Amino acid sequence: MFDLLIKNGVIVDGSGRQAFPGSVGILGGKITAVIPEKEDSLKGVRAERVIDVKGKYVTPGFIDIHRHADAAVFREGFGELELRQGLTTIVNGNCGLSVVPCHKERRQEILGFLAPIVGNMPAGVPLHSFRSYINAVKEQKLPLNVGMLIGNGTVRAAAAGYRSGSLTDGEMRQVHRYLEAALSDGALGVSLGIVYAPEYNYSTEEFKKVLEPMRNSGVQLFTHIRGEGDNFHASLREVVEIARYLEVPLHVSHLKCVGQRNWGHGIAKALDILDEARESGLAVSCDVYPYTAGSTQLIQILPPAYLEGGVPGILKRLTDPAMREKLTDILQKPGVDFENLVNLVGWENIRMTTLNREHNREYSGKSVAEIAHLKGMDPYACAYDMLVEENCEISMVDFIASEDDVRKVMRYPYSNIISDSVYPVGGVPHPRLYGTFPRVLEKYVKEEKVLDLETAVKKMTSVPAAVCKLTTKGLIREGMDADLVVFDLERIHTGADYDQPKKPGEGFSYVFVNGEPAVVRDQIQKQSSGRVLLNGESAR
């Protein structure tokens, strides 16, 4: 006797094997039977509820292991835009930018720096440790499953702030304590954001020392590398070296090549580097989002010397005429020791998307070049002035990658699909926040046939589950969690684009989270069957 029987579907089980007609039986939130269609296959089968899906595809729930919803999990309505695109599991804390650890004496400093990525954090949420944060998340009525990484950048900021230079011996011990505690308390991995403050201060050798608590642990290392443009290949080799030293599996976040002068040949060489690492015995994988634009903090246009000291240090330099003049000279030339996005892609390809001051909101979604033209200003001065006015809390969408490169990484056997969604409050967000997973099905499977359906589903389910060691997720198999998506491929659609991004995915007949219906015919069902996912156990 099942709680639920989903019958007459076409099962794409997440393994990559060919789809087959069949039915799925669910009991107690688990898949307890996968029944291939044949004569009398359902004879004698009983269930409290039967759903006839009439030839629609039945897949595992989609898994996005790269989101920045650390603060969004506490917002009203959390889960709606995720579930509406077939997501049943997400993982936060990426790019070294987790909201923990964050003691009260550094809370304002750290959360102010993270605001363009994670948005606003409610005042009452305890952030002093990974455990305190996870316990607060457990108290929420979660509509989908949520896991968390520990961000190495925030770990450093908690121990030493946003100053430059090497850590003291005492700060190094504190960093180790933070990492050890988070891993003990169930972090699904450690994330690096080497391009971001304050992690760019570490040399390769210092990363090895800082991450010593991971050594031989088997815990996954997730990394936003130091550079994705002119320094792309050296940056990849750096993280391969770090992971090899630590003897841990390596996962490269949002693999892409920035700047037209690097497209094509750059990504081909990058994949060769990953293959060489795999052939040498290192477990290496990567992920990719199905867009040519990224999204992060606007302060990422600045060189490291201008980021020292966090927001107060940035504001001091951007209001100093001599420092502004020097900065413009730096940004007009190719970056030597940093990822110079302005030189790589130009002001016309950098949009300001979240602006909080009333007099600036009319510019949300416009490029720096457009805003400067409307203001009658030089784009460099325009960007500096607006960063000062907005206290550096500006999110951006930057058009940086090649569509051909996106397709190439998508086809790479060891890649999976992610969104890299950031969650600032207000403004014009990146459309990937709403539309990543239906976009893959609509554009790259149905229209362009970059991937067949079985491979695409595998890259959105079992592959990311394996990366995060979510052993009961990502496959339609007996004993697995009943996270399932039902859809007609011809009806899958995302209307979210860069100009109108806040459009949910369409075409999902059902989304189930741990056996409970979360979406029915594109309508959200009020339920709270999601769970917190921790390392070493499927959920608790």
Side-chain angles (χ1 to χ4, degrees):
M1 181 72 170
F2 300 122
D3 295 332
L4 172 66
L5 178 68
I6 301 172
K7 73 174 186 178
N8 296 331
V10 179
I11 297 174
V12 183
D13 69 4
S15 70
R17 66 180 285 199
Q18 187 173 354
F20 60 93
S23 303
V24 179
I26 297 168
L27 180 64
K30 294 283 187 179
I31 298 170
T32 52
V34 181
I35 309 167
E37 183 180 282
K38 58 183 179 180
E39 188 176 355
D40 295 332
S41 59
L42 296 181
K43 186 176 182 180
V45 173
R46 299 172 58 207
E48 290 188 9
R49 184 183 180 193
V50 177
I51 299 176
D52 190 340
V53 297
K54 299 178 182 178
K56 292 182 173 66
Y57 290 108
V58 182
T59 78
F62 303 152
I63 300 172
D64 188 351
I65 62 172
H66 195 121
R67 289 182 93 87
H68 293 276
D70 307 32
V73 296
F74 300 100
R75 294 180 196 163
E76 184 178 355
F78 168 70
E80 293 185 9
L81 63 88
E82 292 83 5
L83 290 165
R84 286 287 304 274
Q85 57 184 299
L87 286 170
T88 58
T89 296
I90 65 170
V91 176
N92 298 319
N94 282 276
C95 296
L97 303 174
S98 64
V99 294
V100 288
C102 183
H103 285 276
K104 62 181 180 180
E105 59 268 23
R106 293 199 185 274
R107 185 179 180 110
Q108 182 176 354
E109 178 184 20
I110 291 173
L111 294 184
F113 181 81
L114 296 178
I117 303 294
V118 303
N120 300 326
M121 174 65 73
V125 179
L127 303 176
H128 57 275
S129 69
F130 187 88
R131 178 181 292 180
S132 68
Y133 170 82
I134 287 296
N135 286 341
V137 176
K138 287 180 180 180
E139 292 175 2
Q140 304 304 300
K141 294 181 178 180
L142 294 175
L144 71 162
N145 305 302
V146 176
M148 184 74 173
L149 309 175
I150 183 69
N152 191 56
T154 302
V155 165
R156 175 177 168 123
Y162 290 92
R163 67 166 178 79
S164 61
S166 298
L167 297 177
T168 66
D169 289 344
E171 290 166 346
M172 181 69 77
R173 287 192 294 271
Q174 183 61 65
V175 162
H176 285 175
R177 284 193 291 268
Y178 283 139
L179 287 174
E180 288 164 355
L183 293 176
S184 175
D185 290 336
L188 295 177
V190 176
S191 72
L192 309 184
I194 305 179
V195 72
Y196 292 115
E199 278 190 275
Y200 61 66
N201 286 289
Y202 291 134
S203 67
T204 306
E205 292 305 312
E206 286 173 322
F207 269 113
K208 294 175 184 177
K209 294 176 183 177
V210 164
L211 298 172
E212 189 66 32
M214 290 185 70
R215 195 168 188 186
N216 294 311
S217 66
V219 172
Q220 190 88 30
L221 181 65
F222 298 78
T223 180
H224 184 144
I225 60 178
R226 198 178 295 272
E228 298 171 322
D230 297 337
N231 302 319
F232 188 23
H233 302 140
S235 298
L236 277 178
R237 290 190 178 97
E238 177 183 38
V239 294
V240 167
E241 180 181 342
I242 293 167
R244 183 174 284 120
Y245 169 81
L246 295 171
E247 299 184 68
V248 296
L250 173 67
H251 188 79
V252 180
S253 298
H254 41 63
L255 188 72
K256 59 185 176 296
C257 194
V258 174
Q260 189 170 355
R261 62 178 175 256
N262 298 312
W263 293 349
H265 65 91
I267 209 71
K269 179 61 177 176
L271 295 178
D272 286 344
I273 291 170
L274 298 189
D275 283 337
E276 289 166 7
R278 291 186 63 85
E279 290 166 8
S280 73
L282 183 67
V284 182
S285 54
C286 66
D287 53 44
V288 58
Y289 48 72
Y291 297 91
T292 58
S295 183
T296 187
Q297 308 151 299
L298 183 62
I299 59 171
Q300 282 308 112
I301 66 171
L302 303 176
Y306 281 72
L307 296 171
E308 183 180 346
V311 172
I314 296 170
L315 295 176
K316 182 178 180 180
R317 295 178 188 92
L318 291 183
T319 52
D320 181 325
M323 295 295 288
R324 285 166 65 112
E325 183 178 352
K326 182 179 178 182
L327 175 59
T328 298
D329 184 62
I330 293 170
L331 296 181
Q332 288 175 338
K333 301 171 183 176
V336 176
D337 60 353
F338 79 108
E339 188 95 296
N340 188 347
L341 283 174
V342 175
N343 183 265
L344 280 164
V345 303
W347 289 119
E348 67 276 10
N349 287 310
I350 298 173
R351 296 187 184 184
M352 297 189 189
T353 54
T354 300
L355 296 163
N356 297 306
R357 302 297 183 267
E358 185 66 36
H359 66 280
N360 285 332
R361 287 178 183 166
E362 64 180 293
Y363 302 119
S364 291
K366 291 181 169 58
S367 73
V368 177
E370 289 178 287
I371 299 169
H373 176 73
L374 290 170
K375 285 174 165 279
M377 296 180 67
D378 169 82
Y380 294 89
C382 176
Y384 309 157
D385 284 356
M386 292 187 73
L387 279 169
V388 172
E389 290 175 21
E390 296 283 335
N391 201 43
C392 295
E393 294 181 8
I394 303 179
S395 303
M396 72 172 174
V397 167
D398 47 334
F399 293 83
I400 50 181
S402 152
E403 184 65 55
D404 286 343
D405 284 356
V406 170
R407 295 186 187 102
K408 189 171 292 185
V409 180
M410 201 175 284
R411 292 190 185 103
Y412 185 60
Y414 305 104
S415 71
N416 65 270
I417 306 298
I418 52 102
S419 72
D420 190 15
S421 290
V422 300
Y423 285 76
V425 177
V428 183
H430 195 299
R432 64 192 182 187
L433 181 63
Y434 287 78
T436 294
F437 289 78
R439 177 178 170 87
V440 170
L441 295 173
E442 181 180 27
K443 177 178 173 66
Y444 294 98
V445 174
K446 184 171 61 176
E447 296 175 357
E448 297 185 2
K449 297 180 172 46
V450 173
L451 301 172
D452 59 44
L453 179 62
E454 290 85 352
T455 301
V457 169
K458 179 180 178 180
K459 287 175 177 285
M460 297 190 292
T461 59
S462 67
V463 176
V467 169
C468 288
K469 299 183 180 178
L470 303 176
T471 57
T472 62
K473 304 289 184 188
L475 289 167
I476 298 181
R477 296 278 168 79
E478 291 184 13
M480 304 296 281
D481 295 333
D483 297 336
L484 299 167
V485 178
V486 179
F487 60 88
D488 178 344
L489 184 59
E490 293 306 310
R491 291 190 61 247
I492 290 293
H493 175 63
T494 176
D497 59 26
Y498 295 105
D499 296 319
Q500 295 185 331
K502 298 180 181 180
K503 292 186 176 182
E506 299 176 357
F508 294 98
S509 301
Y510 296 93
V511 177
F512 295 93
V513 177
N514 295 306
E516 296 296 323
V519 173
V520 177
R521 299 181 194 89
D522 285 331
Q523 299 299 307
I524 291 290
Q525 309 297 296
K526 296 297 183 182
Q527 54 81 39
S528 54
S529 58
R531 300 170 185 166
V532 172
L533 306 178
L534 298 169
N535 187 31
E537 53 187 57
S538 60
R540 74 177 177 198

